[in-house]
Amino acid sequence: MSHQTAPSPPQPTGTFPHFTTLHPPTPQAAREARLLARAQLLSWGWPLDPAENIVGELTANAATHGRVPDRGFRLTLYTVGDTLRIEVTDTLGDHLPRLTHPRLDHVSGRGLFLVEALADTWGVSGGPYPRKTVWAEVRAERSR
């Protein structure tokens, strides 16, 4: 598992399975995004674990920490070979997420710690202003 702050890799060209949804910056929208991602992953024959948990953490972070009135977040999933890439883009690009170890006496602050533990790699890419994208990649075998 590794964390990267460099720009995200170039987008693949050609036909590849992909899925994108836009959501308002609310906790209910984060749950909806996770459920839509779950349905999409099942339709592709991808295992839900750990992708569903990563989607849940990244969308909850966007809805909580990337919240700007009247600006939502975007969830994008795509696969290239045996790699699933999860991207969550919000419009609070001047607040980049930081990985910190959670304190035992706090009830929050574990989202990126979980992403770090579950993803093969993850990172943050900026722009265009005011956006940022937090992304994670997991490799898995398809069940179909």
Side-chain angles (χ1 to χ4, degrees):
M1 288 158 252
S2 66
H3 168 116
Q4 300 175 9
T5 55
S8 61
Q11 297 289 324
T13 58
T15 303
F16 56 94
H18 62 281
F19 172 77
T20 299
T21 59
L22 298 173
H23 301 273
T26 65
Q28 297 83 3
R31 180 179 183 278
E32 177 183 285
R34 183 184 55 78
L35 293 173
L36 289 170
R38 176 186 176 85
Q40 187 62 52
L41 293 169
L42 287 171
S43 77
W44 286 341
W46 280 82
L48 295 176
D49 186 35
E52 184 180 15
N53 289 324
I54 294 170
V55 168
E57 292 301 331
L58 294 182
T59 57
N61 283 349
T64 303
H65 304 294
R67 184 183 300 196
V68 175
D70 300 321
R71 294 186 195 167
F73 65 89
R74 179 181 66 211
L75 168 65
T76 301
L77 306 174
Y78 63 86
T79 65
V80 177
D82 68 347
T83 300
L84 169 70
R85 185 170 172 101
I86 302 160
E87 297 181 347
V88 178
T89 303
D90 66 46
T91 56
L92 199 56
D94 53 346
H95 288 81
L96 299 179
R98 293 180 305 122
L99 179 65
T100 57
H101 290 283
R103 291 181 43 176
L104 294 176
D105 59 340
H106 286 184
V107 295
S108 64
R110 291 168 177 77
L112 287 179
F113 188 74
L114 290 172
V115 171
E116 170 78 11
L118 296 173
D120 291 305
T121 187
W122 74 278
V124 181
S125 53
Y129 185 80
R131 296 181 202 122
K132 74 170 174 297
T133 299
V134 182
W135 55 268
E137 292 181 350
V138 292
R139 286 182 288 285
E141 292 296 321
R142 293 186 199 198
S143 60
R144 292 186 201 179

